[in-house]
Amino acid sequence: MTVPMPAPTPTPPIQTDALTLMAGDHALVDRATLRVEAGEVVAVTGGAGSGKSLLLRALAGLPLPGIDVAGNARVDGRRLLIAQGGVLAPRRPLGAQAAEILGHHLGLDAGGSLRRLSDALDRLGVPAAARRLDLPPDRLPDGLRWTALFALALAVGPAVLMADAPGAGLDPTVRLRLLHRLAEWARGEAVALILAGRPEDGVAGPATRALALHRGRLLPAVPHAAVAFHRGPAAVPPGGPLLTGRGVTVSFPLGRTAKGEERRLTVVHPVDLDLAEGETVALLGETGSGKAMLARALAHLPAPTEGRVAWKGRALESGDATGMRRTRRDLQVLFPDPAAALDPAQTVGAQLAETLESLRPDIPADRRARRVADALETAGLPAQTAQRWPVSLSAAEAARAGLARALLPEPRALVCDEPAASLSAEERSAFLDDLLAVRDRHRLSLLLATEQAEEGLRNADRALVLLMGRVVESAPAETLRHGARHPLTRAMLAAARGGSPRLEGEAPSALALRDGCPLRTRCPNERPFCAQAVPTLEEIAPGHRVACHYWDTP
Amino acid sequence: MMTLFTGSEGRPGGRGAAAVAVLAGLALACAVAPLMADGAVVRRHDADPLVAALLDGRGSLSFALFAGLLGGALGVGWGVLATALGRRAERRLMSTATRLTALPLVLLVPLAAGLLGGGVGILALTVALAVAPAIAGLTHAELNALMRREFLTAARAAGLSEGAILRRHLIPNARRPLLAAGALALPRALAAESFAGLLGLGLPAPLGSWGASAGLAARLGDPVALAAPALLLAVSLWALCAFADSLRPGHPRP
Ligand code: SF4
């Protein structure tokens, strides 16, 4: 990043010297030496339980029960810590909480507090129309709640601001935008800002400097992308089509209108999709984009409301149990929460054997145990895992047990719905690496639904970007990585690379969607025409299709 | 991270075991109470207040067991039926249950006892009917949550038929939550009977009960006689609730 480093001063707002935090004789933070200048933004990354929160609490001067502190830590000026998950009371109106907090810190009256909070919201780019200071935080959309929290922190005007897992749970596009705004403000106001989070949260993006807390030591971070796995799309060119979806639509009944017409909520608008033999297709989208619904509809779990799915040219029919079972043998699924996808009342081995019995009746019963053990080993688990109960598995082991189950019938294609979402960054890259190795070895086709745009594109041949149930861009992965045209694709890529996405606010709810382009409330290129017609997919280059009226606007 | 998994209040297993021990002790004490009272024929009014309360416990606990099992079975059956019969029946059965749960159904118990002349059978039936809607609601909620669990989708992905899913995955996983929901009928039945007893409309005369003794003692203004049944009642209510709670399967930790 090309951000000027603030000049070192003799007394920076944060300076620690061999700060050590001990629980008993175990050092949670070991001789951390940290110096943050005014106007500097520092990211502290680390996995769960690495001691980030503890370090921030120590710097904020909060009590640390049961922890012995050694070494020096000096923090000057007004300091503020945004704790994990935010600190707003969920049920009191925002305005009242602001008045209280600002009144306490700055001695302002209610009117003055609200004015200051509004100024801060301005700086974070919240339009006046979206400000709902009379609402309690739990009635606000997540993004707005976090923005309000940051605005409140801004309004207090601290000299040192620390945020623990800021914007956790937000879509990367929304989170990164917010963090960049916060960093801009800190640089402008000469505030020392520390952003702490997991490496995959992207807190390093807006920061001047990134440090990693690993085994208690605070050291310069290795860039996240460099530690992530790097395998790329399958080496062999794709073959003929295996899975084809035509006009696949998913909708849910919402009850009836006063006139007795049925109202439905459509979460996937007609989508056409082909998955060729040996090909990896990524389905990219934010939360609620419908990518998971689409992936499941393609695997008939459950069947799409409308449209047709065919496997090797033969249409899937829910009524035809034998045909369905034959397809399921070839088309397996990885679930987003692998632990929940295992029956807690059966051992891992029992349910794997059951899958084998159901899908491969040709394998004699006495050979099943051998097959199960082999599949577990392929998935990177010891064969004894078969005797364990699902509750005793860690998230990573459950994910691998899920992979073993999917590989058991020797499928041709895997539908992966965020298969590593529940794993930490390291487990995640190891798991995906193994998944891709299996893909290459068995020449599997992969449908990979994920919200991590960069990761998805790196491993896929082709990608579809979804926005509120519609495909807005589809192209070869390489084209998208360097020449994405749709504002959403660009924003997702910017967020994945740590940059500031050019989208405002959050996705509106699917129920609130009126006519026109679903992105228009957030889009930087929006023009009046966008409100009039839903853009349709048009081919702008061979194999590159975009649904945006102004795709050629840079 | 600060959200460690320690410090959750007590181990549920420990609490359940304590509850079972308390219940067993109580039942045993009530069963041997006649031996503690001097003389073969017990004249309850001169007995030691604790022994008298233990004698009452025989009535209260066995009635709670009987009426509770009946009510629990009724409620669980209701909830299962609602889930199994499909959309329309489900909506109708469950909205009835919700509406009934909102009513103070315990009032039915003394009412029925007063109007219909309070035989044990009538009393048990009204108590069972009074607790069933709440149990039906619980059962339905548990089953609904179960039907949405991902492992059922995984079983479908494994090509199992709906019948096989029901047999191999749904029923084994439904057993404990349904047992837990049904077991909650026991403390409710005990409370309903005690309430009627307090008003003097509980179990008929030869069978003593804690509610009746406590009501009588309160009317006579005898705090010593009031304390023992009230205490035993409170302990049993706690133990029955804790027992029912311990039957619920622990939700898998993230
Ligand atoms: S159609 Fe308009 S609002 Fe939609 S993405 Fe394109 S420019 Fe933005």
Side-chain angles (χ1 to χ4, degrees), chain A residues 486-487 517 519-520 523 525-527 530 535 547-550:
Chain A
H486 197 277
C517 174
L519 196 66
R520 69 175 197 283
C523 181
N525 301 343
E526 188 259 349
R527 288 181 225 175
C530 297
C548 169
H549 297 309
Y550 304 106

Side-chain angles (χ1 to χ4, degrees), chain A residues 265-326:
Chain A
L265 172 66
T266 307
V267 291
V268 177
H269 294 270
V271 170
D272 295 343
L273 183 142
D274 292 296
L275 181 65
E277 197 174 352
E279 187 186 33
T280 300
V281 172
L283 290 178
L284 307 178
E286 304 178 274
T287 321
S289 61
K291 57 184 187 306
M293 288 289 173
L294 173 61
R296 285 180 183 224
L298 288 168
H300 264 226
L301 289 173
T305 325
E306 274 165 58
R308 212 167 48 84
V309 181
W311 176 258
K312 288 187 182 160
R314 259 218 357 245
L316 266 62
E317 304 282 353
S318 297
D320 167 21
T322 343
M324 236 9 246
R325 195 166 312 146
R326 212 161 27 214

